[in-house]
Amino acid sequence: MSRDQAAALAGTAGGLLGVAAGLTAAVWGDRLGAWAGDKQDPTTLGLFTVALSAVALAGALLLLRDRGAGPGWRAAVGAGLLLPGLLGFTTVGRLWWIPGALLVLAAGSTVCVAPRAVGRAVRDRWAGVLTAALGACLVLVAVDASAPLVAVAAVSGGLVAAAPWVARGPRRLATAMLLAGTLPFAALTWWTLVTPAIALLSLTAGFTALRTSGPD
Amino acid sequence: MLHSAGIGALTVAVTGTGMLSYRAYDNRVLGADGGAAFDAWRHWRDDAGPRGVLAAAVLAASPHNTQPWLFHLSGDDRIELHADLSRRIGSVDPYACETHVGLGCALENLALAAHARGLEPRITLRPEPGRPSLVAPADLTKATQQHSPLYDAIGYRHTNRGPYRDRPIDTAVLTDLAALADDPRASVIWVTTRAGRDDLGDLMIRAARAVTEDEQQSRENFAWFRGSADAIEKHKDGLTLDGQGLSAVVTSAAKLMPATSRTSGDAFWVKQTRTVHTATATVYGLVLVPDRYDPLHQLTGGRLLERIHLAVTARGLALQHMNQITERIDRDRSQGRDPVFGPPLAALADRAGGDGRQVLAAFRLGHPVRPGRRSPRRPATQVLR
Ligand SMILES: Cc1cc2nc3c(=O)[nH]c(=O)nc-3n(C[C@H](O)[C@H](O)[C@H](O)COP(=O)(O)O)c2cc1C
C-alpha cells in the first residue's frame, strides 16, 4: 500500500467516524456531558462537525483519485484534512479523539510524501493562505449573528478566501471579489471594530497575493 | 528581503486579527442576544395557557436581574409565586426589600398576562405568615379577555441605562403615570425641578461611591455581573455589558478587551452615574409606601413600579431604576450605624410631596438616545417547581 493510499484510508475512516461523532453530539449531546464537550448548543456544533468531517472526507477521496498530483494540490488536500481534524477538538469533546487523531495522521502522511516541495508551494502562496484565513475570520465573527448577517458574512468570507486562487483568471475578477467580500460587510458592521480591521488586512493580504502570484 | 519582512509583518497582523476575531465570536460582538439566554424574550407569547402567564412573569424587572422567583402550577387554575431567597443580594439587600419589589414586578406581569388570556387572577399576598417564601398564590377563574398596551409592552420593556435627551416630559404624562397607582399602600411622586433633581442626583452619586467603597457590597454586586457570553448562557441572569446603555462601538470595544475587574467596574459605574445617569435624567420618580420594611408594601410597590415601567415603554420613553441610596440606607441600618442617606432622602421626598411616606424605590425617566437592550432570562420551565 502506498503512503497516499494509507493516508486516504486514515482520512476516510476519520471522516466517517467524524460524521458519526457529529451526529451523536447533535442528537444526544445534552446527555453526554464531557464526552461531547459540555457544550451549550451541542446540536449546532454537532451539525457543524458533520460539515467539517464531510470536507475531510472529500479531501481523503481526492487523495485516492488524484494520487501523484503537484505539491500545491498536496498542500491543499493536507489543509483540508488538518483543519477539520484540529477544529473538531473544539466542537464535540472526547467524541473527536479518534477521528481527530486519524485526520491529523492522514494530513501528516499526505504532506510527508514531498515535504520540501509542499513547503515551497505553501511559502510561494503564503499571502493567499493569509487571505483565506482572513476570509474564515469574517465568517467566525458572525457565527452568532442574525440569519441574514450570517449569510452576508458567509458570502463575504467565501469571496475573500477564494479571491487569491482565481488569480489565474482575469485579475479584474479577483479584485472585484476582494472588494465585494470586504467593503459591504465592513460597512454594515463597522461598529464592531473587528470587521473593518479584517477588511483592511484582507485587502492588503489579498492584493499582495495577486501581485506575487505569477501565471502558472 | 523587504518583501519577506512585509510578509512577516502581515503574518503577525493576521495572527493578531485571528485572535481578535475569536474574542469577538466568543463574546458575541455580533448577535449579542441571539443565544438561549434570551429565548424567553422571543417566545413569551407562544403559549396561550397558564404556562404562558409564567413566560410573561419571568420577563419582569428584578434587582441586578437576580430573578428571585419560583412558581408552582396546580392544574390550570392556580399559580403560586414563591420567593427564592437564595438569590437575595446579601449586604446590598439585607432586608430583602428589593427582592420583594422584584417579586411584585413579576406579579404585575403575571396579572396582565392572565387578563390577556381571559383569566381573572385572584391574588392573595403572603397568605401564610409562617411561610414567608409563599409570596402570592393566584387563583385563576374564567373572565373576559382584556388586552392592554401594558401587556404588549412586556416584551420590549428594558431598563435603559444610556443617556436621555434634553427634552422635558409632559406633565400630563406624569399625571397619567401617577394615576396607575390603584392600591392606597403605594404611590409615586415626581422630582421635576432643577434644584430637586440636582440634590437627588448628588445623593445618588455619593451613594454609588459609598457602595463601591464598602468592600462587601462591592463584591456582592460584582457577583451578579456576567462578563462573558459563556457566563450569560450558563447563568441566564445578572447584569451584562450590553445592558449598560453604551453606544454600539464602545460596547464592542469593551467586549474585545480583557474582562473588567471589580474595581474598574465600580469606577465605571460611579462615572456613569455622574456623567450619564444623573446628568441626563429628565425626571426622577420615587415609589412611596407607608413602611418600606413591610413585605406587603414592598410587593404592592413592586407591582406599581413594573406597571409604570410598562406604561413608560408603551409611550416610547425610557426608565432606569436607581436604588443605591436605599441600598446604603438598608446597609447602615443592618450594621447599626447612624443613617447617612436616610434623612436627606426623606427631606427630599417630603419637598416633592412625599407626605411622610417612605421611599421604596427610585428611578429616572426620559426620552432615550438609544433603545434599551434585552437582559438574559431563565425560561419559565427552569423556575417551575
Ligand atoms: C428592586 C429593583 C432595584 C433595581 N435597582 C437598580 C439600580 O439601582 N440600578 C440599575 O441600573 N438597575 C436597577 N434595577 C434594574 C435591574 O437591574 C433590571 O431590572 C434587571 O437587570 C433586568 O433587566 P431589565 O429590566 O432590562 O429586564 C433594579 C430593579 C429592581 C426591580
Side-chain angles (χ1 to χ4, degrees):
Chain A
M1 197 191 303
S2 74
R3 220 183 246 188
D4 274 353
Q5 277 173 319
L9 199 68
T12 310
L16 288 175
L17 285 173
V19 169
L23 288 176
T24 307
V27 179
W28 294 291
D30 280 338
R31 270 175 277 163
L32 291 175
W35 280 95
D38 267 330
K39 300 295 179 189
Q40 297 285 346
D41 186 2
T43 310
T44 311
L45 286 172
L47 294 177
F48 179 60
T49 308
V50 172
L52 283 179
S53 307
V55 171
L57 203 55
L61 295 177
L62 272 177
L63 193 59
L64 213 53
R65 204 191 63 184
D66 300 339
R67 264 172 296 160
W73 174 91
R74 197 166 279 286
V77 169
L81 290 165
L82 185 66
L83 293 179
L86 293 178
L87 274 176
F89 285 109
T90 67
T91 58
V92 289
R94 292 176 201 164
L95 289 176
W96 193 254
W97 284 2
I98 294 175
L102 283 170
L103 292 179
V104 172
L105 210 71
S109 182
T110 307
V111 171
C112 275
V113 170
R116 272 163 202 271
V118 170
R120 212 174 311 117
V122 172
R123 224 175 309 126
D124 286 350
R125 306 296 296 265
W126 187 238
V129 171
L130 292 179
T131 314
L134 289 164
C137 287
L138 277 179
V139 181
L140 176 68
V141 167
V143 163
D144 291 318
S146 59
L149 212 53
V150 173
V152 177
V155 173
S156 303
L159 287 171
V160 168
W165 315 101
V166 299
R168 288 174 214 178
R171 278 281 151 92
R172 244 179 291 151
L173 175 65
T175 305
M177 284 169 75
L178 273 179
L179 294 176
T182 50
L183 299 185
F185 188 55
L188 210 62
T189 56
W190 66 270
W191 49 269
T192 61
L193 305 174
V194 190
T195 54
I198 300 175
L200 203 70
L201 265 183
S202 301
L203 291 174
T204 313
F207 285 121
T208 308
L210 295 190
R211 221 170 345 101
T212 51
S213 70
D216 272 316
Chain B
M1 179 73 184
L2 208 60
H3 173 73
S4 48
I7 285 285
L10 202 57
T11 306
V12 172
V14 171
T15 309
T17 307
M19 280 153 59
L20 202 66
S21 303
Y22 184 77
R23 174 102 184 130
Y25 150 76
D26 198 36
N27 240 352
R28 288 182 182 258
V29 167
L30 278 171
D33 63 2
F38 301 87
D39 277 349
W41 294 100
R42 286 184 277 271
H43 302 298
W44 72 280
R45 281 175 187 268
D46 289 0
D47 192 325
R51 276 170 193 267
V53 173
L54 302 188
V58 301
L59 295 185
S62 64
H64 284 39
N65 199 15
T66 49
Q67 305 164 37
W69 41 66
L70 289 171
F71 298 91
H72 283 260
L73 201 57
S74 318
D76 271 357
D77 54 8
R78 185 178 162 94
I79 296 174
E80 287 178 5
L81 169 62
H82 290 254
D84 180 351
L85 292 171
S86 66
R87 298 186 144 256
R88 183 176 63 80
I89 320 169
S91 61
V92 178
D93 187 21
Y95 301 102
C97 288
E98 290 194 358
T99 302
H100 281 92
V101 172
L103 289 163
C105 292
L107 205 53
E108 181 61 19
N109 278 15
L110 185 152
L112 287 167
H115 283 135
R117 284 164 177 73
L119 298 166
E120 179 60 41
R122 203 162 45 75
I123 295 169
T124 323
L125 297 182
R126 303 250 290 190
E128 298 176 30
R131 209 177 145 208
S133 70
L134 175 57
V135 169
D139 290 303
L140 307 171
T141 50
K142 286 240 156 13
T144 46
Q145 208 167 12
Q146 290 173 43
H147 232 94
S148 75
L150 298 191
Y151 173 70
D152 291 332
I154 287 176
Y156 54 100
R157 179 210 59 79
H158 306 298
T159 299
N160 191 323
R161 300 182 180 87
Y164 297 170
R165 292 188 195 287
D166 186 15
R167 221 170 93 193
I169 291 182
D170 282 350
T171 320
V173 171
L174 298 180
T175 309
D176 285 355
L177 292 174
L180 291 170
D182 63 355
D183 184 314
R185 286 174 293 192
S187 58
V188 66
I189 54 169
W190 307 109
V191 179
T192 54
T193 62
R194 179 86 255 172
R197 281 187 285 145
D198 284 350
D199 289 349
L200 189 52
D202 189 49
L203 213 53
M204 281 179 173
I205 297 165
R206 284 203 285 136
R209 209 169 280 136
V211 168
T212 61
E213 283 164 2
D214 181 323
E215 180 155 340
Q216 199 182 347
Q217 280 199 316
S218 162
R219 282 190 190 287
E220 284 169 344
N221 269 337
F222 191 64
W224 287 94
F225 184 71
R226 309 291 175 228
S228 70
D230 273 352
I232 292 170
E233 287 300 320
K234 181 169 172 219
H235 296 283
K236 298 185 175 62
D237 61 16
L239 302 171
T240 65
L241 263 174
D242 284 291
Q244 298 312 309
L246 303 170
S247 70
V249 184
V250 176
T251 305
S252 297
K255 285 183 174 183
L256 293 174
M257 288 200 285
T260 49
S261 68
R262 174 174 62 86
T263 44
S264 58
D266 278 351
F268 167 80
W269 176 47
V270 173
K271 179 166 165 260
Q272 289 295 103
T273 305
R274 188 167 44 80
T275 59
V276 177
H277 305 167
T278 56
T280 72
T282 324
V283 179
Y284 289 106
L286 300 173
V287 174
L288 304 176
V289 290
D291 178 3
R292 68 173 265 108
Y293 298 104
D294 182 332
L296 298 189
H297 297 186
Q298 294 156 1
L299 291 166
T300 313
R303 286 195 67 173
L304 174 60
L305 185 61
E306 180 77 356
R307 204 175 305 148
I308 291 173
H309 200 164
L310 292 169
V312 161
T313 305
R315 289 171 186 268
L317 298 172
L319 182 151
Q320 181 191 359
H321 305 266
M322 298 181 75
N323 290 296
Q324 54 266 48
I325 303 177
T326 41
E327 284 166 4
R328 283 310 296 172
I329 292 173
D330 289 0
R331 174 70 166 156
D332 284 341
R333 185 181 198 246
S334 71
Q335 301 264 294
R337 284 194 299 248
D338 283 345
V340 177
F341 292 94
L345 181 64
L348 229 147
D350 280 345
R351 257 188 284 143
D355 218 10
R357 281 165 300 161
Q358 297 179 350
V359 176
L360 178 69
F363 57 89
R364 68 175 172 126
L365 282 187
H367 297 270
V369 169
R370 54 185 85 101
R373 300 186 66 172
R374 290 170 175 166
S375 52
R377 281 297 185 286
R378 295 174 301 156
T381 46
Q382 206 179 320
V383 290
L384 190 60
R385 293 288 182 275

PDB file of all heavy atoms in Angstrom, chain B residues 222-240:
ATOM      1  N   PHE B 222     -20.760  42.657  42.356  1.00  0.00           N
ATOM      2  CA  PHE B 222     -19.964  42.141  41.233  1.00  0.00           C
ATOM      3  C   PHE B 222     -20.281  40.669  40.953  1.00  0.00           C
ATOM      4  O   PHE B 222     -20.173  40.210  39.811  1.00  0.00           O
ATOM      5  CB  PHE B 222     -18.469  42.319  41.536  1.00  0.00           C
ATOM      6  CG  PHE B 222     -17.590  42.067  40.343  1.00  0.00           C
ATOM      7  CD1 PHE B 222     -17.664  42.888  39.218  1.00  0.00           C
ATOM      8  CD2 PHE B 222     -16.690  41.012  40.330  1.00  0.00           C
ATOM      9  CE1 PHE B 222     -16.850  42.655  38.112  1.00  0.00           C
ATOM     10  CE2 PHE B 222     -15.878  40.772  39.228  1.00  0.00           C
ATOM     11  CZ  PHE B 222     -15.960  41.594  38.118  1.00  0.00           C
ATOM     12  N   ALA B 223     -20.701  39.962  42.006  1.00  0.00           N
ATOM     13  CA  ALA B 223     -21.017  38.540  41.825  1.00  0.00           C
ATOM     14  C   ALA B 223     -22.143  38.344  40.812  1.00  0.00           C
ATOM     15  O   ALA B 223     -22.295  37.259  40.247  1.00  0.00           O
ATOM     16  CB  ALA B 223     -21.406  37.927  43.167  1.00  0.00           C
ATOM     17  N   TRP B 224     -22.927  39.395  40.573  1.00  0.00           N
ATOM     18  CA  TRP B 224     -24.037  39.267  39.622  1.00  0.00           C
ATOM     19  C   TRP B 224     -23.696  39.847  38.256  1.00  0.00           C
ATOM     20  O   TRP B 224     -24.570  39.971  37.395  1.00  0.00           O
ATOM     21  CB  TRP B 224     -25.299  39.952  40.182  1.00  0.00           C
ATOM     22  CG  TRP B 224     -25.887  39.138  41.281  1.00  0.00           C
ATOM     23  CD1 TRP B 224     -25.640  39.294  42.614  1.00  0.00           C
ATOM     24  CD2 TRP B 224     -26.757  38.003  41.159  1.00  0.00           C
ATOM     25  NE1 TRP B 224     -26.315  38.332  43.328  1.00  0.00           N
ATOM     26  CE2 TRP B 224     -27.011  37.531  42.457  1.00  0.00           C
ATOM     27  CE3 TRP B 224     -27.358  37.345  40.082  1.00  0.00           C
ATOM     28  CZ2 TRP B 224     -27.830  36.428  42.711  1.00  0.00           C
ATOM     29  CZ3 TRP B 224     -28.179  36.250  40.331  1.00  0.00           C
ATOM     30  CH2 TRP B 224     -28.400  35.811  41.624  1.00  0.00           C
ATOM     31  N   PHE B 225     -22.418  40.206  38.063  1.00  0.00           N
ATOM     32  CA  PHE B 225     -22.031  40.709  36.749  1.00  0.00           C
ATOM     33  C   PHE B 225     -21.572  39.547  35.876  1.00  0.00           C
ATOM     34  O   PHE B 225     -20.722  38.755  36.277  1.00  0.00           O
ATOM     35  CB  PHE B 225     -20.921  41.768  36.863  1.00  0.00           C
ATOM     36  CG  PHE B 225     -20.584  42.374  35.527  1.00  0.00           C
ATOM     37  CD1 PHE B 225     -21.480  43.227  34.907  1.00  0.00           C
ATOM     38  CD2 PHE B 225     -19.417  42.041  34.874  1.00  0.00           C
ATOM     39  CE1 PHE B 225     -21.206  43.757  33.654  1.00  0.00           C
ATOM     40  CE2 PHE B 225     -19.128  42.563  33.619  1.00  0.00           C
ATOM     41  CZ  PHE B 225     -20.033  43.423  33.011  1.00  0.00           C
ATOM     42  N   ARG B 226     -22.155  39.429  34.702  1.00  0.00           N
ATOM     43  CA  ARG B 226     -21.793  38.336  33.784  1.00  0.00           C
ATOM     44  C   ARG B 226     -20.926  38.931  32.676  1.00  0.00           C
ATOM     45  O   ARG B 226     -21.444  39.574  31.753  1.00  0.00           O
ATOM     46  CB  ARG B 226     -23.049  37.698  33.187  1.00  0.00           C
ATOM     47  CG  ARG B 226     -24.090  37.296  34.219  1.00  0.00           C
ATOM     48  CD  ARG B 226     -23.622  36.121  35.063  1.00  0.00           C
ATOM     49  NE  ARG B 226     -24.565  35.815  36.124  1.00  0.00           N
ATOM     50  CZ  ARG B 226     -24.221  35.628  37.389  1.00  0.00           C
ATOM     51  NH1 ARG B 226     -22.962  35.735  37.776  1.00  0.00           N
ATOM     52  NH2 ARG B 226     -25.136  35.314  38.293  1.00  0.00           N
ATOM     53  N   GLY B 227     -19.625  38.696  32.774  1.00  0.00           N
ATOM     54  CA  GLY B 227     -18.678  39.381  31.898  1.00  0.00           C
ATOM     55  C   GLY B 227     -18.380  38.688  30.593  1.00  0.00           C
ATOM     56  O   GLY B 227     -17.634  39.215  29.772  1.00  0.00           O
ATOM     57  N   SER B 228     -18.941  37.505  30.365  1.00  0.00           N
ATOM     58  CA  SER B 228     -18.658  36.816  29.100  1.00  0.00           C
ATOM     59  C   SER B 228     -19.928  36.155  28.591  1.00  0.00           C
ATOM     60  O   SER B 228     -20.866  35.904  29.355  1.00  0.00           O
ATOM     61  CB  SER B 228     -17.593  35.738  29.313  1.00  0.00           C
ATOM     62  OG  SER B 228     -18.147  34.685  30.081  1.00  0.00           O
ATOM     63  N   ALA B 229     -19.933  35.868  27.288  1.00  0.00           N
ATOM     64  CA  ALA B 229     -21.114  35.221  26.697  1.00  0.00           C
ATOM     65  C   ALA B 229     -21.339  33.859  27.346  1.00  0.00           C
ATOM     66  O   ALA B 229     -22.480  33.446  27.563  1.00  0.00           O
ATOM     67  CB  ALA B 229     -20.930  35.080  25.192  1.00  0.00           C
ATOM     68  N   ASP B 230     -20.255  33.164  27.698  1.00  0.00           N
ATOM     69  CA  ASP B 230     -20.390  31.854  28.345  1.00  0.00           C
ATOM     70  C   ASP B 230     -21.114  31.978  29.681  1.00  0.00           C
ATOM     71  O   ASP B 230     -22.003  31.188  29.994  1.00  0.00           O
ATOM     72  CB  ASP B 230     -18.998  31.251  28.595  1.00  0.00           C
ATOM     73  CG  ASP B 230     -18.516  30.482  27.374  1.00  0.00           C
ATOM     74  OD1 ASP B 230     -19.325  30.312  26.439  1.00  0.00           O
ATOM     75  OD2 ASP B 230     -17.337  30.079  27.361  1.00  0.00           O
ATOM     76  N   ALA B 231     -20.701  32.999  30.468  1.00  0.00           N
ATOM     77  CA  ALA B 231     -21.328  33.188  31.789  1.00  0.00           C
ATOM     78  C   ALA B 231     -22.807  33.540  31.621  1.00  0.00           C
ATOM     79  O   ALA B 231     -23.662  33.075  32.377  1.00  0.00           O
ATOM     80  CB  ALA B 231     -20.598  34.283  32.553  1.00  0.00           C
ATOM     81  N   ILE B 232     -23.114  34.340  30.601  1.00  0.00           N
ATOM     82  CA  ILE B 232     -24.512  34.724  30.361  1.00  0.00           C
ATOM     83  C   ILE B 232     -25.334  33.486  30.006  1.00  0.00           C
ATOM     84  O   ILE B 232     -26.408  33.251  30.549  1.00  0.00           O
ATOM     85  CB  ILE B 232     -24.591  35.772  29.229  1.00  0.00           C
ATOM     86  CG1 ILE B 232     -23.971  37.085  29.691  1.00  0.00           C
ATOM     87  CG2 ILE B 232     -26.038  35.988  28.784  1.00  0.00           C
ATOM     88  CD1 ILE B 232     -23.776  38.107  28.580  1.00  0.00           C
ATOM     89  N   GLU B 233     -24.795  32.667  29.119  1.00  0.00           N
ATOM     90  CA  GLU B 233     -25.533  31.479  28.694  1.00  0.00           C
ATOM     91  C   GLU B 233     -25.664  30.471  29.836  1.00  0.00           C
ATOM     92  O   GLU B 233     -26.663  29.779  29.951  1.00  0.00           O
ATOM     93  CB  GLU B 233     -24.851  30.824  27.486  1.00  0.00           C
ATOM     94  CG  GLU B 233     -25.034  31.603  26.187  1.00  0.00           C
ATOM     95  CD  GLU B 233     -26.497  31.772  25.791  1.00  0.00           C
ATOM     96  OE1 GLU B 233     -27.279  30.817  25.959  1.00  0.00           O
ATOM     97  OE2 GLU B 233     -26.878  32.859  25.340  1.00  0.00           O
ATOM     98  N   LYS B 234     -24.636  30.422  30.671  1.00  0.00           N
ATOM     99  CA  LYS B 234     -24.664  29.443  31.764  1.00  0.00           C
ATOM    100  C   LYS B 234     -25.685  29.850  32.832  1.00  0.00           C
ATOM    101  O   LYS B 234     -26.504  29.060  33.254  1.00  0.00           O
ATOM    102  CB  LYS B 234     -23.264  29.352  32.378  1.00  0.00           C
ATOM    103  CG  LYS B 234     -23.159  28.369  33.498  1.00  0.00           C
ATOM    104  CD  LYS B 234     -21.719  28.129  33.885  1.00  0.00           C
ATOM    105  CE  LYS B 234     -21.682  27.292  35.150  1.00  0.00           C
ATOM    106  NZ  LYS B 234     -20.647  27.709  36.062  1.00  0.00           N
ATOM    107  N   HIS B 235     -25.637  31.126  33.251  1.00  0.00           N
ATOM    108  CA  HIS B 235     -26.485  31.552  34.376  1.00  0.00           C
ATOM    109  C   HIS B 235     -27.853  32.075  33.926  1.00  0.00           C
ATOM    110  O   HIS B 235     -28.815  32.015  34.672  1.00  0.00           O
ATOM    111  CB  HIS B 235     -25.782  32.639  35.175  1.00  0.00           C
ATOM    112  CG  HIS B 235     -24.510  32.174  35.822  1.00  0.00           C
ATOM    113  ND1 HIS B 235     -24.495  31.413  36.958  1.00  0.00           N
ATOM    114  CD2 HIS B 235     -23.208  32.352  35.498  1.00  0.00           C
ATOM    115  CE1 HIS B 235     -23.248  31.137  37.305  1.00  0.00           C
ATOM    116  NE2 HIS B 235     -22.444  31.700  36.419  1.00  0.00           N
ATOM    117  N   LYS B 236     -27.901  32.688  32.770  1.00  0.00           N
ATOM    118  CA  LYS B 236     -29.149  33.286  32.256  1.00  0.00           C
ATOM    119  C   LYS B 236     -29.744  34.279  33.263  1.00  0.00           C
ATOM    120  O   LYS B 236     -30.964  34.329  33.483  1.00  0.00           O
ATOM    121  CB  LYS B 236     -30.172  32.213  31.901  1.00  0.00           C
ATOM    122  CG  LYS B 236     -29.701  31.273  30.799  1.00  0.00           C
ATOM    123  CD  LYS B 236     -30.797  30.307  30.414  1.00  0.00           C
ATOM    124  CE  LYS B 236     -30.401  29.437  29.242  1.00  0.00           C
ATOM    125  NZ  LYS B 236     -29.235  28.573  29.476  1.00  0.00           N
ATOM    126  N   ASP B 237     -28.893  35.055  33.882  1.00  0.00           N
ATOM    127  CA  ASP B 237     -29.362  36.084  34.819  1.00  0.00           C
ATOM    128  C   ASP B 237     -28.271  37.147  34.922  1.00  0.00           C
ATOM    129  O   ASP B 237     -27.290  37.118  34.169  1.00  0.00           O
ATOM    130  CB  ASP B 237     -29.677  35.461  36.201  1.00  0.00           C
ATOM    131  CG  ASP B 237     -28.455  34.807  36.845  1.00  0.00           C
ATOM    132  OD1 ASP B 237     -27.322  35.078  36.406  1.00  0.00           O
ATOM    133  OD2 ASP B 237     -28.621  34.018  37.792  1.00  0.00           O
ATOM    134  N   GLY B 238     -28.421  38.081  35.848  1.00  0.00           N
ATOM    135  CA  GLY B 238     -27.357  39.042  36.128  1.00  0.00           C
ATOM    136  C   GLY B 238     -27.261  40.195  35.142  1.00  0.00           C
ATOM    137  O   GLY B 238     -28.045  40.320  34.201  1.00  0.00           O
ATOM    138  N   LEU B 239     -26.263  41.040  35.406  1.00  0.00           N
ATOM    139  CA  LEU B 239     -26.055  42.249  34.605  1.00  0.00           C
ATOM    140  C   LEU B 239     -25.012  41.980  33.533  1.00  0.00           C
ATOM    141  O   LEU B 239     -24.074  41.208  33.747  1.00  0.00           O
ATOM    142  CB  LEU B 239     -25.580  43.381  35.519  1.00  0.00           C
ATOM    143  CG  LEU B 239     -26.543  43.711  36.661  1.00  0.00           C
ATOM    144  CD1 LEU B 239     -25.905  44.692  37.633  1.00  0.00           C
ATOM    145  CD2 LEU B 239     -27.850  44.275  36.115  1.00  0.00           C
ATOM    146  N   THR B 240     -25.161  42.647  32.394  1.00  0.00           N
ATOM    147  CA  THR B 240     -24.256  42.390  31.269  1.00  0.00           C
ATOM    148  C   THR B 240     -23.735  43.715  30.710  1.00  0.00           C
ATOM    149  O   THR B 240     -24.320  44.778  30.967  1.00  0.00           O
ATOM    150  CB  THR B 240     -25.002  41.670  30.128  1.00  0.00           C
ATOM    151  OG1 THR B 240     -26.003  42.565  29.628  1.00  0.00           O
ATOM    152  CG2 THR B 240     -25.657  40.395  30.608  1.00  0.00           C
TER     153      THR B 240
END
